[in-house]
Amino acid sequence: MSEDRTQVVSDYVESVFRRGREPMEPVGFTPDWEDQPSRHKTYLGVRRFPLPAGTALPLAGAADVLLGEPPAGRCPAWTLDSLATLLRLSYGVLDRRLRVSWNQDSHVRVLYPEALWGRGTASGGGMYPLEVYWVAGPGGPLTPGVYHYSTAHHAFERLLTGDVTGEVRAACGSGAGDADGFLVVTVRFWKNSFKYNSFCYHVVTQDAGALLGSWEMIARGTGRRLTRVLWFDDERLNRLLGLGTDDECALAVVPLPFGGPARPAADPADHDGPVDLNGLIDRPSFERSARTRTFEQIEQVHHAVLADRRARPEPQAARRLVPVPAADGEEIALPEPLTDRMGPDIGETLRSRRTSFGSFTRSRPLGLDELGTVLAGTVSGQRYVADVVPDDVGLTGLYVLANRVAGLPSGTYRYDGEGHRLRVVREMPLAEKLQRAYYLSNYNLEQVGAVLAISGRWRSTLDAYGSRGYRVLNSEVGAVAQTAYTAAAALGVGCGAVLGFDNIAIDEWAGLDDGDERTFLFVLLGHERADSADFDYRLV
């Protein structure tokens, strides 16, 4: 049966990779923009607790966070101020975006009902389908219970009073540690699928990784580190949060120690005997859409992942999944990172992060030192603590498609983070090839300096981890893209993460047409036009 579930996921991933040539079902689908869901989930009839602004806490500089060593040893306990900073700078509303760009919806953004509100974390299509819940124990600053983070209000909405952290520990097993509070990241599928239909599952699992990547950078900025729990009993957490699994489902858990008494580790025996939590949280949430729908491929892959109940793999298994570059190819040493140009603290850097829709210009090529700095910062997204991945192992590879990089011939290269160098894969003109391989109209690829392609050994990951390996791998892909965005923002380089490429063509150019390593997500880099029309509407 587990082989059948893995095959369902494998078939779905293949359809994602081929969608540029063979459209995914339902073919011809058109979003109903008049009936789109609200960008902010809010619960009805609950008490809200406003959080501190989240912008006053002093944070480390972007260069220290992205290029320095992560905090070691015993880290400070979390506080309400540091938690508010983590939430506000990652997923809270920071500003209004009104830049005139090539994106197809620019003309309606001047209307308040269609306003685009910027956040520190990137999201596929700007849909922001994730929700954040805080399960608080007695050691935290608020009454023990379950809270929902309302992004619209930067406040906690209390859904339940009482210490239920034991349920989270039981659902997560040994991954929970002895923390006295937990952040739970969930996805509301309709907030993304109304636009992307069957492609949704691929996008939202990368979105979860992007949020976790932001949390890791902010935590490092406060002198802390986080642990990501990616292997848990989904249904048990969903029952605890009062969620319908087909509508909204947990994707990650992050334990937060608040300095209270150490909590006992989960007893594995408790895992098979969950408390009956049905109906404990029955608060309704606001749904703007008059009509919602599901998509068959999303249901199939989602259920295949949930049904794969194999035991958590040992973290050391990840070492067999690291992409291994080919040994041949000329090596090109990269200049040392431009740390003196990497701007202010990590919080201000995240506040300045934005997508460069159509703003790239060929008049100023991307510098080789600028490319090297972004690459060096990007691979810090591979250094994180997780229950299934050691912090010195990265499941992803990084390729550079150089188009207009000063001193670097056009072509494809593999980045070696340990040696901070490029290995030549193939030299060839790319400008026209990139444009033909991109099937959207919001970028002129001929103007882009370089494209970073994030890869992973997806079949090997499915073999080792089963169906859940897809979520684990996509989580790192999203985190790496978020760190690339942040490194570019710190350096003042334009950036945009895209999924609209013909993956098969990119794989061929990167020399990945054999084996199980494939490209998953792409990050565009380059300098922007100096005459872009913009509007400064910062909220914090």
Side-chain angles (χ1 to χ4, degrees):
M1 286 298 292
S2 61
E3 290 80 5
D4 293 341
R5 300 180 191 115
T6 303
Q7 188 60 49
V8 169
V9 176
S10 178
D11 291 344
Y12 176 79
V13 178
E14 280 289 0
S15 69
V16 166
F17 289 152
R18 300 192 63 85
R19 74 193 185 286
R21 304 183 181 192
E22 302 171 10
M24 298 179 71
E25 296 289 344
V27 177
F29 174 84
T30 302
D32 184 356
W33 293 101
E34 296 298 320
D35 195 37
Q36 64 178 289
S38 170
R39 300 294 170 87
H40 305 279
K41 180 178 183 179
T42 55
Y43 280 86
L44 306 178
V46 297
R47 182 179 177 185
R48 292 196 185 100
F49 298 85
L51 289 166
T55 56
L57 201 67
L59 300 174
D64 292 332
V65 170
L66 293 167
L67 302 176
E69 291 298 320
R74 186 172 181 82
C75 296
W78 286 84
T79 65
L80 188 60
D81 281 335
S82 56
L83 176 58
T85 298
L86 188 77
L87 296 173
R88 185 60 177 268
L89 293 180
S90 61
Y91 228 55
V93 176
L94 300 177
D95 58 28
R96 184 175 178 182
R97 304 283 170 87
L98 277 171
R99 176 184 289 186
V100 177
S101 73
W102 280 30
N103 214 22
Q104 294 93 330
D105 58 2
S106 291
H107 65 290
V108 301
R109 293 306 179 195
V110 297
L111 305 175
Y112 189 81
E114 303 294 337
L116 178 65
W117 303 98
R119 311 192 201 190
T121 300
S123 173
M127 298 294 99
Y128 291 101
L130 305 179
E131 303 297 333
V132 180
Y133 296 83
W134 181 35
V135 183
L142 292 182
T143 302
V146 178
Y147 299 80
H148 171 254
Y149 176 55
S150 173
T151 53
H153 306 92
H154 185 54
F156 276 140
E157 298 175 324
R158 187 161 65 196
L159 308 180
L160 178 69
T161 301
D163 182 10
V164 291
T165 54
E167 274 297 294
V168 182
R169 279 188 287 275
C172 296
S174 59
D178 58 0
D180 48 5
F182 301 89
L183 290 174
V184 183
V185 179
T186 71
V187 57
R188 291 188 69 205
F189 292 109
W190 178 241
K191 284 177 70 176
N192 183 283
S193 65
F194 90 92
K195 177 181 179 181
Y196 288 112
N197 52 81
S198 299
F199 186 42
C200 161
Y201 199 84
H202 191 70
V203 180
V204 299
T205 47
Q206 291 182 358
D207 270 7
L211 177 57
L212 293 173
S214 283
W215 283 356
E216 177 68 18
M217 288 185 285
I218 297 166
R220 291 184 193 180
T222 69
R224 299 171 172 87
R225 293 207 72 184
L226 296 176
T227 298
R228 307 176 189 180
V229 183
L230 304 174
W231 210 275
F232 46 79
D233 185 336
D234 311 71
E235 295 285 10
R236 192 165 189 167
L237 288 180
N238 294 341
R239 283 195 299 270
L240 171 63
L241 300 177
L243 307 178
T245 297
D246 286 345
D247 300 321
E248 185 175 344
C249 184
L251 290 181
V253 178
V254 175
L256 292 184
F258 274 86
R263 307 288 296 187
D267 183 350
D270 291 341
H271 193 67
D272 297 323
V275 177
D276 183 9
L277 298 173
N278 291 321
L280 275 184
I281 295 180
D282 58 358
R283 302 286 190 178
S285 61
F286 170 70
E287 176 56 73
R288 181 183 181 277
S289 298
R291 174 179 176 267
T292 64
R293 60 173 292 184
T294 58
F295 298 89
E296 184 177 3
Q297 280 185 291
I298 297 176
E299 290 185 320
Q300 289 174 347
V301 69
H302 182 43
H303 290 165
V305 170
L306 295 182
D308 197 334
R309 301 304 307 157
R310 68 187 68 194
R312 175 186 285 112
E314 290 297 323
Q316 299 306 317
R319 299 190 185 280
R320 303 192 300 270
L321 307 176
V322 177
V324 180
D328 55 349
E330 177 189 355
E331 293 181 355
I332 301 174
L334 290 169
E336 288 298 309
L338 302 170
T339 55
D340 58 334
R341 275 188 49 188
M342 293 194 70
D345 68 67
I346 193 66
E348 183 59 34
T349 300
L350 286 168
R351 284 195 286 269
S352 66
R353 184 211 64 82
R354 65 190 312 147
T355 299
S356 295
F357 295 118
S359 300
F360 292 113
T361 177
R362 59 181 289 183
S363 61
R364 182 184 168 193
L366 185 67
L368 188 60
D369 51 359
E370 294 172 323
L371 173 63
T373 302
V374 174
L375 288 170
T378 297
V379 294
S380 69
Q382 299 171 335
R383 292 180 294 157
Y384 56 92
V385 180
D387 58 336
V388 291
V389 182
D391 63 355
D392 62 341
V393 172
L395 300 178
T396 52
L398 200 58
Y399 290 82
V400 176
L401 285 75
N403 183 41
R404 300 190 182 279
V405 179
L408 190 65
S410 178
T412 55
Y413 303 81
R414 169 67 186 252
Y415 178 60
D416 172 10
E418 291 187 6
H420 189 51
R421 60 195 172 191
L422 297 175
R423 188 181 296 273
V424 179
V425 177
R426 186 180 305 166
E427 291 187 8
M428 60 180 174
L430 281 176
E432 292 186 6
K433 291 179 179 291
L434 288 171
Q435 193 62 58
R436 286 199 299 269
Y438 187 68
Y439 46 82
L440 300 177
S441 59
N442 54 358
Y443 285 101
N444 181 348
L445 272 296
E446 197 273 340
Q447 305 280 328
V448 169
V451 178
L452 308 186
I454 306 169
S455 67
R457 296 178 57 201
W458 71 285
R459 289 194 183 278
S460 295
T461 304
L462 289 182
D463 290 342
Y465 287 175
S467 301
R468 289 172 181 266
Y470 178 42
R471 292 200 323 203
V472 173
L473 179 55
N474 248 356
S475 174
E476 184 172 311
V477 169
V480 170
Q482 178 65 16
T483 52
Y485 253 124
T486 309
L491 196 60
V493 169
C495 184
V498 299
L499 282 156
F501 270 115
D502 178 355
N503 291 69
I504 297 173
I506 302 293
D507 290 342
E508 291 174 353
W509 304 338
L512 299 179
D513 38 339
D514 293 324
D516 72 336
E517 186 178 359
R518 300 286 291 273
T519 54
F520 274 69
L521 181 60
F522 310 93
V523 179
L524 313 181
L525 298 173
H527 289 288
E528 297 181 330
R529 296 170 57 97
D531 57 350
S532 296
D534 205 351
F535 183 77
D536 189 350
Y537 198 125
R538 298 186 215 185
L539 301 178
V540 293

